[in-house]
Amino acid sequence: MSAIAFEAAPAFREESLVLTGRRSGAVWLVRGHRAVRGEASQVEADWRWALEREERRGDVLGFFHTHPPEAGTGPSARDVRTMQAWCGALGKPLLCVIACGEETRSTIFQSDEHAGRSLPITECFGRNVWVIVDTNETEEQP
Ligand SMILES: [Zn+2]
């Protein structure tokens, strides 16, 4: 019954994923795991899974979440605080990938004090797979 009601009157709810993968210089290959759906204005990642994964495989690269329409793809003040805390907890740079409507943007946080830097290229390949390129990291400029 509730599923039918949801279909009839879809309400936006934020969604989050833990991103794992590998980085090769300027290119990040990431895959999303452990989808969690939250409320319209907030969603918590599966932080327990993320910590265990990092402990076991060391390949957590960041987090993905959606924003409601018109909120844009830039990290909110709360997102910035959350990402800084994760950088401190995992002790490495992390990606914050945000989707809003058709647009997706990645922001890299270098440390628990870094304010975040937007990366120029985020391409989605199939379900929950992204290639992210940091052109500032490349040797050759176009
Ligand atoms: Zn957000």
Side-chain angles (χ1 to χ4, degrees):
M1 240 5 217
S2 61
I4 293 166
F6 184 75
E7 295 279 20
F12 185 86
R13 295 172 71 194
E14 284 212 56
E15 190 172 26
S16 83
L17 297 166
V18 179
L19 301 176
T20 67
R22 59 201 163 86
R23 177 182 186 174
S24 177
V27 181
W28 309 62
L29 302 172
V30 306
R31 177 182 292 274
H33 306 265
R34 309 290 294 181
V36 174
R37 299 205 102 192
E39 302 305 315
S41 62
Q42 66 176 71
V43 60
E44 201 171 274
D46 190 342
W47 57 269
R48 193 183 304 273
W49 188 87
L51 289 173
E52 285 172 6
R53 173 80 181 210
E54 181 63 14
E55 188 83 4
R56 254 182 329 169
R57 311 268 292 266
D59 66 350
V60 173
L61 293 183
F63 299 90
F64 167 91
H65 71 282
T66 54
H67 273 177
E70 288 158 36
T73 53
S76 67
R78 182 192 178 123
D79 292 337
V80 170
R81 287 195 304 273
T82 302
M83 289 306 302
Q84 289 172 336
W86 273 109
C87 286
L90 301 187
K92 63 182 189 180
L94 291 170
L95 294 168
C96 176
V97 181
I98 298 173
C100 179
E102 297 292 299
E103 242 181 276
T104 303
R105 192 202 312 183
S106 303
T107 303
I108 185 165
F109 289 83
Q110 300 287 358
S111 70
D112 60 357
E113 292 184 341
H114 189 233
R117 179 168 58 82
S118 182
L119 301 182
I121 299 169
T122 300
E123 290 288 340
C124 188
F125 290 87
R127 190 169 157 76
N128 297 340
V129 175
W130 290 272
V131 173
I132 297 156
V133 182
D134 182 356
T135 52
N136 285 348
E137 290 266 327
T138 57
E139 308 278 322
E140 298 170 3
Q141 294 296 324

